[in-house]
Amino acid sequence: MKNPLIAPILAKLKQHDGALSEYELIKSLDADIGFPVLAEDPQLALFQKHFLVKNALFQLQLRFWQEDKLYLSISALAIQLEPARNGTSHLGLPGDAGEAKVRDYYLDWQHYTSASPESVADLLADFWRRYAGTEQRDKALEQLGLPQDASPQAIKQHYRRLASQHHPDKGGDSKQFIALRQAYETLRNG
């Protein structure tokens, strides 16, 4: 399927100096050219609009990389051309496995054509579950005084050290001990 937004997005990128947010890009495209006919369901229509923009951006990202050795950085808050970076994905593009997974998703038209109001609702529910899980993990790491990149082994060792210090049988505060245990369980099960 040919994406009708590739040329208009390329024009917007050329017009704009610096980074452009996805919201600014969508708003500008909507004002200038409008979007193709989308689903009647508002969540599905929003998904389709978002998918069309992301698909076009990732197609352009591949073209810029293959033809010009420039990297089109794509995030919700900043879309911009950059010089090539170190570290490449499976396609030879800069980035990590997470970026490659997102790129693969948006380059697969099957995700667009098979989307339904139910599947979009499931995607949103999954996003919010993962978001809440990330927030809980951050709070648990903070509670234990650990960095974001703490390994499971480091978490376990640090928890044991803190638990022995704060255990009620050793004169520690039971509320503090329970809070530490809750944080550890969150990290252990997450």
Side-chain angles (χ1 to χ4, degrees), residues 18-19 41 51 59 77 90 108 114 136 138 145 151-153:
D41 179 82
F51 189 95
Q59 285 190 52
L77 300 177
H90 69 287
D108 183 351
S114 67
Q136 288 174 346
D138 292 348
S151 69
Q153 184 177 358

Side-chain angles (χ1 to χ4, degrees), residues 61-130:
Q61 184 185 61
L62 288 171
R63 292 177 190 176
F64 278 124
W65 182 253
Q66 292 167 347
E67 297 167 15
D68 305 311
K69 293 299 179 212
L70 291 171
Y71 182 67
L72 180 61
S73 177
I74 303 168
S75 75
L77 300 177
I79 300 164
Q80 65 184 7
L81 273 174
E82 302 174 349
R85 301 184 302 190
N86 290 337
T88 59
S89 72
H90 69 287
L91 295 174
L93 287 163
D96 61 20
E99 288 176 85
K101 191 174 179 180
V102 171
R103 182 174 31 253
D104 289 347
Y105 177 87
Y106 285 106
L107 289 175
D108 183 351
W109 279 105
Q110 182 66 28
H111 295 289
Y112 181 84
T113 58
S114 67
S116 67
E118 296 78 21
S119 67
V120 170
D122 289 345
L123 279 173
L124 287 171
D126 184 54
F127 167 79
W128 288 114
R129 270 192 301 279
R130 283 186 285 122

Side-chain angles (χ1 to χ4, degrees), residues 152-162 184:
Q153 184 177 358
I155 292 169
K156 186 176 186 177
Q157 289 173 347
H158 192 70
Y159 164 73
R160 285 184 173 172
R161 201 170 321 124
L162 289 173
Y184 177 66

Side-chain angles (χ1 to χ4, degrees), residues 22-40:
E22 184 179 351
Y23 174 76
E24 292 169 328
L25 178 59
I26 289 173
K27 190 175 170 185
S28 178
L29 288 168
D30 217 2
D32 290 352
I33 63 166
F35 279 84
V37 175
L38 301 171
E40 288 184 27

Side-chain angles (χ1 to χ4, degrees), residues 6-24:
I6 291 175
I9 287 176
L10 185 55
K12 294 288 178 194
L13 291 173
K14 287 181 180 178
Q15 287 174 348
H16 197 78
D17 289 332
L20 182 66
S21 75
E22 184 179 351
Y23 174 76
E24 292 169 328

